[in-house]
Amino acid sequence: MKTIYVLAEHRQQHLRDTTWDALAAGRDLAQKTGAELACLLLGSGVDAMADQLAKECPKVVVVDDPRLANFNSEPFVKTLTGLLAGQDSYVLVIGNSNSIIDLAPGLSVALDAALATDCIGFEVDGGKVKALRQIYSYKVNALVSFKGASRIVATLRSGFFSFAPSGAAPGAIEKVASPLGDEPLRKRFLSYVEAEKGDVDIASADIIVAIGRGIGDEEDLSMFESLADAMGGVVACSRPIVDKGLLPKYRQVGTSGVEVKPKVYLALGISGAFQHLGGIKGNPLIVAVNKDPRAPIFRAAQYGIVANLADVVPALEEKIKELKG
Amino acid sequence: MDIIVCVKRVPDTSEADLAIDKGGKDIQKGGLDYDINDWDRFAIEEAVLIKEKTGGKVTVVTVGDEDAEEMLREGLARGADEAFLLWDESFEGSDGYATAHILAAFLKQRSYDLVLTGTLADDDCGGQFGGMLAAMLGVPVATLVHKIEVKNGSITVRRELEAGLSERLDIDLPAVVSVATGINEPRFVSIRAVRKVASIEIPTVDRGELGLDEADVGSAGAKVEIEKVFLPPEGEGAEIIAGSPADAAARLAEILKEKGGIA
Ligand SMILES: Cc1cc2nc3c(=O)[nH]c(=O)nc-3n(C[C@H](O)[C@H](O)[C@H](O)COP(=O)(O)OP(=O)(O)OC[C@H]3O[C@@H](n4cnc5c(N)ncnc54)[C@H](O)[C@@H]3O)c2cc1C
Ligand SMILES: Nc1ncnc2c1ncn2[C@@H]1O[C@H](COP(=O)(O)O)[C@@H](O)[C@H]1O
């Protein structure tokens, strides 16, 4: 590979953490393949962000255009296709996020590149890049290769690439004229919409009893509410519980829900998908009850019980009440 | 509006005990139950809800072998008007790219206003099909969409960002929209609804009818290849509390008390 490109992600004039994940992975890949490393920064009024990146990356390519202020995939794909036209032999790494889910697949087609989404690692084998990702409900690891493709787009799972500031000599900032023409966009950003606030704020709870799809078809949540009461905590949940309309969105823990930072997190019938775990901050004690010993939640938890919820939850509540006296 | 819904049949792996098969490139699929990908049920429902408001037609389509027919029939029972199975032996081994290519060929032969898909499938966890398909068709795309309002010739959507934030976008039609789970509440399918669609014919469309070369499909048309799969090592992480569920629960209560999990 000749070049490892890193696409910087930003929102409301700030670089997002995904950018640093991607830069960490990019540095590592550049070193292992002997390729050059360059950041791509597309936005509007991005000088401050460019300076920030230039402290960590030898080259920063900047396109400044008001149509790139928000991560609207249409102008982003067009601009990136313009920037990379005619180039070969590169890997473009991008930290995964909900904006990037919108962008990367179409971009890979426009670039005629091979795509691997949500990678958790890379291997370089005889100069060839391979990606590690997870499949089958994130329970199985897969090593994928790119059939000798000379253009690769890879998006990265957050938390798997850790960035260490290098403090190296300032990189070069190269400003490139926007390749966007005058044709109107067919996809137009209108506004951001904030989430509704609810009657409880799980973000500030110290003790959380979180329920997931493993509670089954039962619509009566009183067993879990009464356990949470006994513990002095609140009930939160994974996404499928909100999707089913059993609890409101402001009770959902995860990347697209609420970030919580409790002292204790009890996960009941939750598999532990990374989008869920991504909402649990501050290293709490995590305890999980799940009937599947291979559920990813047991990797994040300190203690676990492999059993049916129905056999555990009432006994747990009873014992807790007993201990409280 | 004429709406095409792309659906995928996937093994239910979230609760199953998985094992790697002999070739080392896939899991053993023998004992697994299959179902429509969870996200796609929301896509079908959304299409039917839009049709109920605006009129038009809903078509469900999948790239998959004859086992996928039952899933398409469920789509009909949920309110779709017609269904197509895109299958040819040469499609075996298609990755997300080759699959999108097959669907793009199908769509180029038809007229449509909106294509709906799920955002992510549980088997390959790719989250790539909708975006790839849109790029191949040369139409705009929005993924993770949790609200669609139909206007004249365009739609306004809300798509999910992080931490409860959403963005509103206007999108010209035709377009591809990949929906998020929770966008609606998929209806209950009655036995009567299933019976009503039992005799609707579901045509199979093969490679020749789609005008595709063998080089475009299957593993030949794929851009990525799985070299090996493996289960992440067990035994990392949690200490599993042994004993009967009741004993383990009692022990857990003590641990919680010790660690401040009881206020
Ligand atoms: C862009 C994006 C954003 C997302 N954002 C979020 C988010 O913010 N929050 C979130 O939670 N998810 C989010 N998800 C979804 C996430 O990928 C998972 O699908 C979801 O977290 C799974 O929820 P779950 O663990 O409840 O269900 P499942 O994965 O279905 O797991 C259910 C678990 O219950 C166990 N179980 C079943 N029956 C029993 C029983 N009787 N007793 C004990 N255990 C049992 C099973 O073994 C299984 O492990 C997002 C996905 C995407 C693509
Ligand atoms: N073989 C297929 N046939 C029809 N639609 C598909 C197929 N594969 C994926 N899709 C659609 O694309 C979505 C995302 O899938 P994936 O990119 O595999 O994660 C699914 O929810 C489906 O709506």
Side-chain angles (χ1 to χ4, degrees):
Chain A
M1 289 292 159
K2 255 199 240 145
T3 316
I4 308 296
Y5 287 110
V6 170
L7 178 66
E9 192 192 356
H10 51 82
R11 184 174 295 157
Q12 289 157 328
Q13 295 302 330
H14 292 285
L15 288 172
R16 306 193 72 212
D17 289 345
T18 47
T19 302
W20 305 113
D21 288 352
L23 196 51
R27 258 186 204 166
D28 190 48
L29 273 176
Q31 204 201 0
K32 285 185 177 145
T33 56
E36 269 180 35
L37 179 66
C39 263
L40 305 176
L41 175 61
L42 282 54
S44 175
V46 293
D47 288 352
M49 289 190 263
D51 289 340
Q52 224 182 325
L53 286 168
K55 292 202 175 91
E56 302 296 340
C57 185
K59 186 170 161 187
V60 183
V61 179
V62 176
V63 182
D64 210 310
D65 186 313
R67 289 166 289 184
L68 300 167
N70 301 101
F71 261 72
N72 177 348
S73 59
E74 188 185 2
F76 267 76
V77 168
K78 280 189 182 152
T79 305
L80 287 164
T81 323
L83 278 181
L84 298 176
Q87 289 200 43
D88 229 339
S89 191
Y90 61 81
V91 183
L92 170 57
V93 291
I94 319 177
N96 204 5
S97 75
N98 292 8
S99 297
I100 300 309
I101 288 177
D102 218 43
L103 167 70
L107 177 64
S108 73
V109 169
L111 294 173
D112 192 22
L115 173 72
T117 55
D118 201 26
C119 301
I120 58 171
F122 292 101
E123 280 181 19
V124 179
D125 182 2
K128 286 213 156 69
V129 175
K130 295 174 184 178
L132 191 63
R133 48 189 309 279
Q134 293 191 312
I135 56 179
Y136 296 119
S137 314
Y138 306 117
K139 281 164 74 176
V140 176
N141 288 3
L143 184 69
V144 302
S145 61
F146 299 98
K147 302 179 77 180
S150 55
R151 292 177 297 276
I152 296 169
V153 176
T155 68
L156 314 174
R157 167 111 35 108
S158 92
F160 280 77
F161 304 88
S162 59
F163 179 72
S166 76
I173 297 177
E174 185 187 316
K175 294 199 171 166
V176 177
S178 171
L180 289 177
D182 299 332
E183 69 275 25
L185 294 175
R186 290 173 298 167
K187 178 177 178 184
R188 298 168 292 275
F189 174 86
L190 299 173
S191 63
Y192 288 119
V193 185
E194 297 283 346
E196 262 177 70
K197 295 265 178 288
D199 54 346
V200 283
D201 180 21
I202 60 169
S204 60
D206 281 336
I207 298 172
I208 291 179
V209 175
I211 55 175
R213 192 172 0 229
I215 68 165
D217 290 331
E218 183 57 73
E219 302 210 339
D220 177 9
L221 304 181
S222 55
M223 175 164 83
F224 307 104
E225 280 154 5
S226 103
L227 174 63
D229 282 345
M231 291 172 66
V234 301
V235 174
C237 64
S238 65
R239 180 172 186 139
I241 300 294
V242 175
D243 293 345
K244 279 195 210 166
L246 293 179
L247 284 175
K249 187 89 181 170
Y250 56 79
R251 297 248 186 187
Q252 178 184 315
V253 174
T255 51
S256 57
V258 179
E259 274 191 5
V260 297
K261 38 181 192 330
K263 296 199 174 79
V264 173
Y265 194 87
L266 175 59
L268 303 175
I270 290 178
S271 63
F274 71 94
Q275 297 97 340
H276 184 76
L277 298 177
I280 309 175
K281 302 289 180 193
N283 280 317
L285 174 77
I286 301 179
V287 178
V289 184
N290 195 303
K291 66 177 187 187
D292 175 8
R294 284 212 172 260
I297 189 74
F298 287 127
R299 273 166 220 288
Q302 286 83 8
Y303 294 96
I305 298 179
V306 179
N308 224 307
L309 288 179
D311 298 332
V312 173
V313 174
L316 181 61
E317 184 188 338
E318 199 179 312
K319 184 72 183 181
I320 285 172
K321 285 184 170 156
E322 194 187 305
L323 290 175
K324 279 172 65 167
Chain B
M1 292 242 291
D2 286 341
I3 307 176
I4 315 263
V5 190
C6 303
V7 294
K8 186 181 199 180
R9 182 172 176 267
V10 296
D12 180 358
T13 48
S14 78
E15 296 182 17
D17 198 9
L18 304 179
I20 306 301
D21 84 355
K22 274 202 230 73
K25 295 192 178 205
D26 205 348
I27 54 169
Q28 286 173 12
K29 294 201 176 132
L32 298 175
D33 294 329
Y34 280 75
D35 197 0
I36 179 171
N37 184 46
D38 198 33
W39 301 64
D40 304 353
R41 215 169 253 136
F42 293 92
I44 297 175
E45 181 67 27
E46 196 62 21
V48 174
L49 289 173
I50 294 173
K51 178 185 82 168
E52 284 168 356
K53 268 196 220 131
T54 67
K57 190 171 74 179
V58 173
T59 304
V60 284
V61 59
T62 190
V63 177
D65 63 19
E66 69 266 11
D67 289 337
E69 204 185 297
E70 196 188 321
M71 165 185 74
L72 293 176
R73 207 163 290 284
E74 180 191 319
L76 295 170
R78 288 182 176 280
D81 304 281
E82 54 172 6
F84 292 90
L85 184 72
L86 313 187
W87 189 245
D88 193 287
E89 258 170 45
S90 59
F91 292 176
E92 189 77 53
S94 296
D95 66 349
Y97 180 85
T99 305
H101 204 132
I102 294 164
L103 248 145
F106 174 75
L107 288 170
K108 280 176 186 161
Q109 298 176 346
R110 313 176 65 82
S111 72
Y112 56 88
D113 301 297
L114 183 62
V115 180
L116 292 181
T117 81
T119 294
L120 188 93
D122 259 1
D123 55 352
D124 61 10
C125 302
Q128 56 187 11
F129 174 89
M132 285 181 164
L133 178 67
M136 290 169 184
L137 295 169
V139 304
V141 64
T143 57
L144 285 167
V145 166
H146 63 95
K147 190 170 183 183
I148 304 177
E149 276 170 76
V150 178
K151 306 242 178 88
N152 202 0
S154 73
I155 49 177
T156 301
V157 302
R158 280 190 195 189
R159 59 180 306 274
E160 196 178 292
L161 298 171
E162 289 80 10
L165 190 69
S166 297
E167 60 182 355
R168 275 172 65 239
L169 299 157
D170 254 345
I171 299 173
D172 292 344
L173 296 175
V176 176
V177 169
S178 301
V179 304
T181 54
I183 184 174
N184 51 44
E185 283 184 49
R187 68 197 62 195
F188 175 77
V189 185
S190 68
I191 309 248
R192 236 191 63 209
V194 175
R195 283 216 195 101
K196 240 173 81 187
V197 300
S199 59
I200 296 181
E201 204 214 330
I202 298 182
T204 301
V205 184
D206 66 14
R207 185 169 56 79
E209 290 165 81
L210 293 170
L212 287 164
D213 284 338
E214 219 159 334
D216 295 332
V217 300
S219 37
K223 287 209 183 261
V224 297
E225 195 169 37
I226 293 188
E227 298 230 322
K228 66 169 178 195
V229 302
F230 54 99
L231 298 173
E234 225 174 336
E236 284 171 11
E239 175 187 330
I240 301 298
I241 303 170
S244 72
D247 290 349
R251 175 75 195 111
L252 179 58
E254 285 164 5
I255 294 170
L256 287 173
K257 178 157 192 218
E258 232 170 84
K259 311 262 180 184
I262 302 175

